[in-house]
C-alpha cells in the first residue's frame, strides 16, 4: 500500500500505535479490527455513534464470533476511540466478554517421550525438546539467538518475551547436548554462516516462524499417535504440570514461566529460585520407565 492510499485517520491510528511501541502482532490486530468496524459502518469510523458501536457488537455476537476475537476487537476499538478519536464516550460503550476458563490439555511424560522420539530430524528434535524443557512460548523459542545459550551458567536468556520482559530459563545438560548436535549439523550444512545469529535460522535472514513450529508439533503428535489436540502451548502446560508432579515449589514454576497462571505474583522470590531441575533432567531410572529418547 502506498502512502497516498492511507487515509489521514488510519495514518493517525498507525502513529498512535507506533508511539506506544506496541508489538507488531498487536498493531496488526488493532488496524484489522478498526477496519472491520469501518467496513461494517460503511463510512469513516470517526463518524460512529454509540448506537453504531452497539449494533456492531450485536452483529459480532450474531455471527458466532469467538470470545477471544470479541475481546481483541473490544481492546482495539477502545484504543481507537480513546486515543485516536479522543472519544471516551464511545470507548465506554465497548463491552468485553468473560472468557470461559478451561483446564489446559497436558501430555503425560510417556506421551512427551513419544512426541520427541517422532521428530523427523535433529532440527525438529531440538525445537520440540527446547519447547518442552524450558516451557517457552512459541514466539520465544523461534526467536532465540545463538548468544542466548549460556552453557557456563546453564541458563537460556529470553530477550523481550511476552510483556517485553527479559528473563532466564533453565538449561539442562541433556537439552544442551541436543542443541549442540543441532548446531554442528546446521553449521556443516552451511545454515550457521557468519553473521547469522539465530539459533533456528529460516529464510531470507529471518528465524523459523512460530507457525512452522506449530506445524512441526502437530506433525510429530500425529506420528506419535497422540489423539489429544496438541500445540506448542501444550508443551508449556506439560512442562509446568510435570514440575508440579515432581513437587516443585509452585512459585518457582511461576518464575520460570513468567506468568501468574499457577499462583499470585510473588516478587520477593525471583531469580534466586532459578536453579531447579528441568523435566528433561530426570534420574535415569525414571527416564527408563517412561522411555524418553535421550536417556
Amino acid at each position: 500500500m502506498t502512502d497516498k492510499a492511507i487515509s489521514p485517520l488510519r495514518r493517525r491510528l498507525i502513529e498512535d500505535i507506533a508511539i506506544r511501541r506496541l508489538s507488531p502482532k498487536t498493531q496488526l490486530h488493532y488496524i484489522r479490527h478498526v477496519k472491520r468496524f469501518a467496513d461494517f459502518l460503511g463510512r469513516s469510523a470517526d463518524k460512529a455513534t454509540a448506537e453504531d458501536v452497539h449494533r456492531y457488537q450485536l452483529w459480532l455476537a450474531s455471527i458466532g464470533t469467538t470470545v477471544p476475537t470479541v475481546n481483541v476487537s473490544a481492546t482495539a476499538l477502545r484504543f481507537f476511540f480513546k486515543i485516536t478519536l479522543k472519544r471516551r464516550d464511545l470507548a465506554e460503550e465497548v463491552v468485553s466478554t468473560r472468557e470461559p476458563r478451561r483446564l489446559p490439555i497436558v501430555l503425560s511424560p510417556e506421551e512427551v517421550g513419544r512426541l520427541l522420539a517422532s521428530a523427523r530430524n535433529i532440527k525438529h528434535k531440538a525445537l520440540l525438546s527446547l519447547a518442552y524443557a524450558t516451557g517457552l512460548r512459541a514466539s520465544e523459542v523461534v526467536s532465540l539467538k545463538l548468544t542466548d545459550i549460556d552453557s557456563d551458567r546453564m541458563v537460556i536468556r529470553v530477550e523481550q518475551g511476552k510483556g517485553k520482559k527479559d528473563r532466564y530459563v533453565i538449561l539442562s545438560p541433556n537439552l544442551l547436548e541436543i542443541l549442540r548436535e543441532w548446531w554442528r549439523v546446521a553449521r556443516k550444512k552451511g545454515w550457521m554462516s557468519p553473521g547469522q545469529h539465530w539459533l533456528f535460522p529460516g529464510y531470507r535472514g529471518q528465524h523459523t516462524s512460530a507457525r512452522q513450529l506449530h506445524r512441526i508439533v502437530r506433525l510429530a503428535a500425529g506420528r506419535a499417535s497422540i489423539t489429544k489436540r496438541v500445540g506448542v502451548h501444550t508443551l508449556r502446560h506439560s512442562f509446568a504440570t510435570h514440575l508440579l508432579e515432581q513437587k516443585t515449589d509452585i512459585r518457582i514454576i511461576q518464575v520460570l514461566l513468567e506468568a501468574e497462571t499457577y499462583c499470585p505474583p510473588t516478587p520477593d522470590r525471583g531469580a534466586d529460585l532459578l536453579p531447579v531441575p528441568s523435566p528433561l533432567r530426570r534420574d535415569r531410572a525414571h527416564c527408563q520407565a517412561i522411555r524418553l529418547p535421550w536417556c
Side-chain angles (χ1 to χ4, degrees), residues 109-142:
E110 190 272 336
E111 286 174 321
V112 172
R114 282 161 43 203
L115 180 79
L116 299 182
S118 67
R120 284 182 170 175
N121 52 56
I122 183 57
K123 180 180 181 180
H124 290 188
K125 182 179 180 181
L127 280 165
L128 295 174
S129 299
L130 180 62
Y132 169 64
T134 60
L136 293 181
R137 301 174 179 89
S139 59
E140 295 170 341
V141 171
V142 297

Side-chain angles (χ1 to χ4, degrees), residues 196-221:
Q196 194 297 118
H197 56 278
W198 302 114
L199 179 59
F200 298 103
Y203 295 104
R204 299 179 180 178
Q206 299 299 313
H207 55 68
T208 298
S209 67
R211 177 176 295 183
Q212 178 66 10
L213 176 55
H214 282 291
R215 180 174 174 271
I216 291 170
V217 173
R218 289 194 298 269
L219 290 175

Side-chain angles (χ1 to χ4, degrees), residues 122 171-184:
I122 183 57
L171 172 62
S172 75
N174 291 312
L175 176 59
L176 176 60
E177 187 53 42
I178 292 172
L179 295 179
R180 281 175 170 168
E181 182 182 355
W182 152 243
W183 181 83
R184 288 192 292 266

Side-chain angles (χ1 to χ4, degrees), residues 1 66 73 101 119 151 165 185 197 209 225 232 239 272 284-285:
M1 179 179 290
T66 63
S73 175
R101 298 198 62 176
S151 58
K165 297 178 181 178
V185 170
H197 56 278
S209 67
S225 300
V232 180
F239 164 83
D272 58 308
R284 179 160 297 277

Side-chain angles (χ1 to χ4, degrees), residues 71-247:
N71 289 337
V72 171
S73 175
T75 304
L77 291 178
R78 283 197 198 97
F79 181 94
F80 175 66
F81 293 144
K82 186 183 300 184
I83 305 299
T84 303
L85 295 185
K86 304 295 189 288
R87 292 286 306 275
R88 290 182 174 272
D89 58 319
L90 291 183
E92 292 174 357
E93 296 294 327
V94 181
V95 178
S96 295
T97 305
R98 183 180 294 275
E99 189 168 359
R101 298 198 62 176
R102 296 184 175 89
L103 291 175
I105 296 174
V106 176
L107 300 179
S108 69
E110 190 272 336
E111 286 174 321
V112 172
R114 282 161 43 203
L115 180 79
L116 299 182
S118 67
R120 284 182 170 175
N121 52 56
I122 183 57
K123 180 180 181 180
H124 290 188
K125 182 179 180 181
L127 280 165
L128 295 174
S129 299
L130 180 62
Y132 169 64
T134 60
L136 293 181
R137 301 174 179 89
S139 59
E140 295 170 341
V141 171
V142 297
S143 60
L144 286 176
K145 302 181 182 67
L146 291 168
T147 53
D148 292 332
I149 310 301
D150 190 339
S151 58
D152 293 329
R153 298 174 57 208
M154 294 305 291
V155 293
I156 299 174
R157 175 184 171 87
V158 181
E159 188 172 336
Q160 296 295 284
K162 187 173 181 179
K164 296 186 177 180
K165 297 178 181 178
D166 293 349
R167 73 183 192 278
Y168 288 99
V169 295
I170 51 180
L171 172 62
S172 75
N174 291 312
L175 176 59
L176 176 60
E177 187 53 42
I178 292 172
L179 295 179
R180 281 175 170 168
E181 182 182 355
W182 152 243
W183 181 83
R184 288 192 292 266
V185 170
R187 187 180 63 169
K188 185 176 181 180
K189 291 182 177 292
W191 297 335
M192 296 293 183
S193 57
Q196 194 297 118
H197 56 278
W198 302 114
L199 179 59
F200 298 103
Y203 295 104
R204 299 179 180 178
Q206 299 299 313
H207 55 68
T208 298
S209 67
R211 177 176 295 183
Q212 178 66 10
L213 176 55
H214 282 291
R215 180 174 174 271
I216 291 170
V217 173
R218 289 194 298 269
L219 290 175
R223 289 192 296 270
S225 300
I226 297 174
T227 57
K228 299 174 182 176
R229 186 177 179 181
V230 179
V232 180
H233 225 66
T234 307
L235 297 179
R236 178 173 165 86
H237 287 307
S238 301
F239 164 83
T241 301
H242 295 168
L243 284 178
L244 278 174
E245 291 172 348
Q246 295 178 51
K247 303 187 185 306

